[in-house]
Amino acid sequence: MIPNLTRETRRKTVPGVAGWIDQTHRRARHDFLNKNLEGGEAKFKPVDKLSR
């Protein structure tokens, strides 16, 4: 709880921290996807056309 409270307080009060947090999370997601997709395409393909 304390790290989240500290991060959110800084995000709201210190200029530039929100952008830094965003870039950090984007980098983590990018690294996760590169590691888990093994350079290929996503295994999930959404339906192109809905049918009933």
Side-chain angles (χ1 to χ4, degrees):
M1 179 181 152
I2 298 298
N4 290 342
L5 178 63
T6 303
R7 184 181 64 233
E8 284 301 305
T9 302
R10 288 183 181 167
R11 181 184 66 81
K12 291 179 181 180
T13 58
V14 178
V17 172
W20 176 80
I21 291 171
D22 182 53
Q23 289 301 316
T24 303
H25 288 173
R26 285 175 188 253
R27 188 171 26 255
R29 284 191 303 269
H30 188 286
D31 292 344
F32 174 82
L33 290 173
N34 282 341
K35 176 181 170 189
N36 290 300
L37 289 179
E38 300 171 354
E41 300 232 356
K43 294 178 178 82
F44 171 76
K45 299 247 184 201
V47 176
D48 291 335
K49 183 178 180 183
L50 295 176
S51 61
R52 290 185 150 207

